[in-house]
């Protein structure tokens, strides 16, 4: 396990900062330490990334040359899958099969953007037809520059891959700061970058606290773009910092996503997708469908079945066989979730199941999967992101009522609808004000399809070709090729 910063191709200790504890959320025990970078380290890393961009080979390579590195990274991730997945579980708490799934997605993401980098070689420019035959114009895409990337702890290496793979494929260089709560697999990506011979300075990794290591990245004048995933509160600060130099900013933020279940749905399927939508990854998912709306006529039936199945979920250490719900990532997050449940109860919500530490699990940040009902539409728990295994359930009258309730949110990341009437499901899908909509499911995510939110859930899109364009500048090159003079000043 690494315990140094990765700057300009070297593993180095922080210039001024100390070390931070790494705690296993299943045991509450410290099992490693990571460096706490400060602005002095950020300055070195940004300057290394700047040199690698302005003077280095990386942006000047062909797409095919860059793709070879990306594919080599994907291959190494696959080779080390078991080690990386287990490390992710110890750092984050998630069940091992989920971490293994994440590692497959990480590798797939690097391969996907390797393909796009190669494709661009065969299609390097786009002619723009102009109304004036004296001119010809074309568009070329160029790497955007030095990217400052800041990522969260819920899918530690996967959220990193969603930024590193397209940015590197595009020819950008990067300074990356993972969450201080889960940095270990990101440091291992540095080891992999070194193993595959990625040129120095192309990828720099700084661990540390948001204020000490993240904020200086957002403020550094030599950074061209900020790519951030995290909470709305931090995203707002990132945007304000970026405004100083008019940096290009993309934000992937939180959500309070609705899941609308119509009475004609298959009840078993609906219950399983509701559970997958909120209990996968302990509900610590930006797109978690944490507000469930059930058509009045089947409300009692669906709720009873949901409670029955939720009570059967096996809770435990993510490394133990059969665990379906691991611990919450940290003590701080655990306390926040308990406070949210208490607030919900104080506002009149009923706890249909869960809401407390499971019997027999006396240490570790374990929490029973929780279902809240009977809250008002203005209740804090109905409106705000809890980011834990807590789902709020309410009935609705009809389609118009469901759409109104679903869209009544400052967020707009995701939404889901269940119905056997596909025409109705499509209609509702289009009515949702959200960037990701699932029909008859919730959460399946594909590298090919765009990811990002409406409203306060963010700006821009990751994944697919949209994620690639995030890291490309658009340049028009327009030529004048007439023998006749322009004729404005000189006739
Ligand atoms: P967070 O905002 O607390 O932290 C995110 C990152 O920002 C961390 O690396 C942190 O160290 C850093 N940071 C904190 N303060 C900073 C500052 N002042 N300047 C620069 N960086 C700073 O979020 P979190 O708790 O790590 O993650 C959970 C949040 O992320 C949830 O709101 C979730 O919905 C969101 N999220 C969104 C997506 C998406 O794709 N939309 C994906 C995953 C998580």
């Amino acid at each position: 396990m690494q315990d140094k910063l990765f700057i300009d191709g070297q593993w180095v200790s922080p210039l001024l900062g100390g070390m931070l504890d790494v705690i296993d959320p299943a045991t509450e025990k410290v099992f490693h330490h990571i460096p706490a970078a400060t602005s002095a380290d950020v300055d070195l890393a940004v300057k290394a990334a700047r040199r690698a961009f302005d003077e280095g080979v990386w942006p000047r390579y062909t797409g095919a040359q860059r793709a070879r590195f990306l594919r080599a990274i994907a291959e190494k991730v696959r080779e080390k899958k078991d080690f990386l997945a287990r490390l992710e579980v110890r750092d984050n708490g998630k069940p091992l099969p989920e971490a293994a799934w994440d590692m497959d997605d990480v590798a797939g993401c690097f391969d996907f953007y390797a393909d796009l980098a190669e494709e661009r070689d065969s299609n390097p420019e786009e002619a723009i037809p102009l109304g004036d035959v004296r001119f010809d114009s074309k568009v070329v895409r160029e790497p955007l520059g030095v990217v400052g990337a800041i990522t969260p702890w819920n899918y530690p290496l996967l959220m990193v891959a969603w930024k590193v793979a397209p940015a590197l494929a595009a020819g950008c260089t990067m300074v990356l700061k993972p969450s201080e709560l889960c940095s270990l697999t990101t440091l291992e990506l540095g080891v992999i970058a070194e193993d595959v011979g990625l040129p120095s300075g192309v990828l720099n990794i700084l661990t540390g606290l948001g204020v000490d290591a993240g904020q200086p990245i957002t403020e550094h004048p030599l950074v061209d773009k900020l790519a951030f995933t995290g909470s709305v509160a931090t995203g707002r600060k990132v945007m304000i910092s970026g405004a100083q130099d008019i940096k290009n900013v993309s934000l992937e933020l939180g959500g309070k996503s609705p899941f609308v279940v119509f009475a004609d749905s298959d009840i078993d399927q609906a219950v399983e997708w509701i559970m997958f939508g909120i209990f996968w990854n302990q509900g610590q998912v930006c797109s978690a469908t944490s507000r469930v709306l059930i058509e009045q006529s089947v409300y009692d039936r669906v709720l009873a079945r949901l409670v029955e199945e939720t009570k059967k979920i096996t809770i435990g250490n993510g490394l133990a066989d059969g665990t379906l719900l691991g611990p919450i990532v940290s003590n701080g997050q655990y306390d926040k979730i308990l406070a949210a449940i208490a607030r919900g109860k104080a506002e009149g919500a009923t706890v249909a199941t869960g809401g407390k530490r499971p019997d027999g699990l006396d240490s570790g940040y374990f929490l029973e999967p929780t279902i809240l009902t009977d809250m008002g539409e203005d209740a804090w728990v109905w409106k705000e992101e809890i980011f834990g295994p807590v789902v709020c359930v309410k009935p609705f009258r009809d389609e118009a009522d469901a759409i109104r309730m679903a869209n009544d949110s400052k967020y707009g990341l995701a939404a889901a609808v269940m119905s056997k009437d596909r025409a109705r499901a499509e209609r509702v899908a289009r009515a949702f004000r959200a960037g990701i909509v699932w029909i008859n499911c919730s959460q399946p995510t594909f590298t090919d399809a765009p990811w990002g939110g409406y409203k306060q859930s963010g700006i821009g899109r990751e994944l697919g070709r949209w994620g690639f364009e995030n890291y490309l500048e658009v340049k028009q090159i327009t030529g004048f090729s007439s023998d006749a003079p322009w004729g404005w000043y000189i006739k």
Side-chain angles (χ1 to χ4, degrees):
M1 282 185 282
Q2 264 302 333
D3 60 358
K4 294 232 167 26
L5 307 171
F6 188 56
I7 300 178
D8 208 9
Q10 307 290 319
W11 291 98
V12 295
S13 296
L15 290 173
L16 303 172
M19 300 295 277
L20 302 172
D21 290 347
V22 181
I23 296 168
D24 181 337
T27 62
E28 301 183 35
K29 298 224 160 64
V30 175
F31 71 99
H32 195 53
H33 294 90
I34 52 166
T38 65
S39 56
D41 308 298
V42 169
D43 191 51
L44 285 181
V46 171
K47 285 180 175 152
R50 190 77 255 169
R51 270 194 311 278
F53 188 80
D54 293 340
E55 299 157 27
V57 288
W58 191 253
R60 285 152 202 95
Y61 275 164
T62 62
Q65 284 173 309
R66 288 197 288 267
R68 276 203 285 279
F69 288 92
L70 297 189
R71 288 196 209 290
I73 292 173
E75 209 39 56
K76 286 271 174 201
V77 169
R78 287 194 184 98
E79 259 172 57
K80 294 178 135 182
K81 175 177 161 180
D82 189 55
F83 163 71
L84 291 170
R86 285 174 184 277
L87 193 58
E88 201 80 299
V89 175
R90 290 201 74 193
D91 213 4
N92 168 281
K94 64 176 68 195
L96 184 59
E98 295 191 23
W101 178 309
D102 290 358
M103 296 313 142
D104 287 337
D105 273 4
V106 168
C109 186
F110 278 96
D111 278 341
F112 179 85
Y113 285 105
D115 287 350
L116 289 198
E118 282 170 348
E119 263 174 37
R120 220 162 61 85
D121 284 347
S122 54
N123 192 16
E125 56 185 55
E126 184 190 336
I128 307 290
L130 299 174
D132 188 331
V133 292
R134 294 171 301 167
F135 295 91
D136 58 87
S137 190
K138 62 190 167 198
V139 162
V140 293
R141 302 292 185 109
E142 295 180 348
L144 210 149
V146 173
V147 178
I150 298 175
T151 54
W153 46 262
N154 60 336
Y155 289 92
L157 192 56
L158 187 57
M159 292 299 100
V160 161
W162 284 16
K163 298 188 190 324
V164 174
L168 264 48
C172 293
T173 61
M174 185 174 260
V175 176
L176 166 66
K177 194 204 87 66
S179 166
E180 58 275 29
L181 293 179
C182 297
S183 294
L184 296 183
T185 50
T186 303
L187 288 172
E188 293 304 322
L189 183 65
V191 174
I192 289 175
E194 196 181 21
D195 282 354
V196 304
L198 195 73
S200 298
V202 171
L203 177 64
N204 304 275
I205 301 171
L206 299 171
T207 54
L209 299 175
V211 173
D212 298 335
Q215 198 172 320
I217 297 176
T218 66
E219 291 170 346
H220 203 294
L222 298 181
V223 171
D224 298 302
K225 175 183 171 71
L226 299 173
F228 174 79
T229 300
S231 63
V232 171
T234 312
R236 189 173 289 121
K237 290 183 193 159
V238 168
M239 203 171 168
I240 289 170
S241 284
Q244 197 58 36
D245 303 308
I246 319 293
K247 290 182 173 59
N248 177 309
V249 176
S250 52
L251 303 172
E252 295 290 341
L253 307 178
K256 188 77 182 181
S257 299
F259 190 154
V260 172
V261 180
F262 282 99
D264 66 353
S265 306
D266 178 303
I267 302 291
D268 277 356
Q269 279 195 17
V271 165
E272 189 175 16
W273 283 116
I274 292 170
M275 293 168 73
F276 195 71
I278 189 63
F279 299 137
W280 169 256
N281 209 31
Q282 293 67 246
Q284 303 163 143
V285 183
C286 52
S287 56
T289 30
S290 51
R291 286 187 297 144
V292 171
L293 294 149
I294 303 173
E295 194 164 3
Q296 186 78 64
S297 59
V298 291
Y299 179 80
D300 289 340
R301 199 144 62 92
V302 175
L303 181 62
R305 188 89 171 79
L306 179 63
V307 168
E308 180 193 339
E309 290 302 324
T310 297
K311 284 182 170 163
K312 294 183 197 161
I313 291 176
T314 310
I315 309 168
N317 188 317
L319 291 173
D321 271 354
T323 293
L324 283 170
L325 194 92
I328 304 303
V329 71
S330 69
N331 201 13
Q333 187 64 17
Y334 188 69
D335 287 346
K336 271 193 214 165
I337 299 169
L338 286 178
I341 294 169
R343 188 164 178 172
K345 287 202 282 194
E347 284 180 315
T350 305
V351 180
T353 185
K356 59 176 181 57
R357 176 177 279 282
D359 294 339
L361 287 171
D362 299 329
S363 63
Y365 310 126
F366 292 101
L367 178 67
E368 286 180 352
T370 301
I371 300 172
L372 301 179
T373 58
D374 304 323
M375 72 292 298
E377 279 186 55
D378 288 334
W380 190 92
V381 283
W382 182 253
K383 294 204 142 333
E384 300 296 334
E385 183 181 51
I386 297 174
F387 220 58
V390 181
V391 64
C392 295
V393 187
K394 281 185 81 62
F396 68 87
R397 280 190 313 277
D398 55 21
E399 189 176 317
D401 194 33
I403 293 168
R404 177 193 62 75
M405 289 170 80
N407 285 339
D408 182 19
S409 172
K410 64 187 173 197
Y411 297 111
L413 185 57
V417 53
M418 273 218 83
S419 171
K420 283 189 185 145
D421 177 349
R422 186 63 194 233
R424 171 164 63 184
E426 290 278 346
R427 200 164 57 232
V428 173
R430 279 161 211 277
F432 285 141
R433 297 266 304 142
I436 305 145
V437 176
W438 287 288
I439 292 179
N440 291 335
C441 61
S442 174
Q443 306 307 315
T445 300
F446 299 91
T447 312
D448 323 57
W451 184 273
Y454 285 24
K455 302 192 254 182
Q456 291 189 25
S457 289
I459 299 177
R461 294 291 179 271
E462 294 196 304
L463 297 183
R465 64 182 166 79
W466 300 267
F468 192 43
E469 283 163 14
N470 234 340
Y471 297 98
L472 293 168
E473 279 284 18
V474 176
K475 178 185 277 180
Q476 65 149 307
I477 301 179
T478 298
F480 180 71
S481 51
S482 167
D483 292 336
W486 180 231
W488 193 270
Y489 294 105
I490 300 172
K491 301 287 178 196

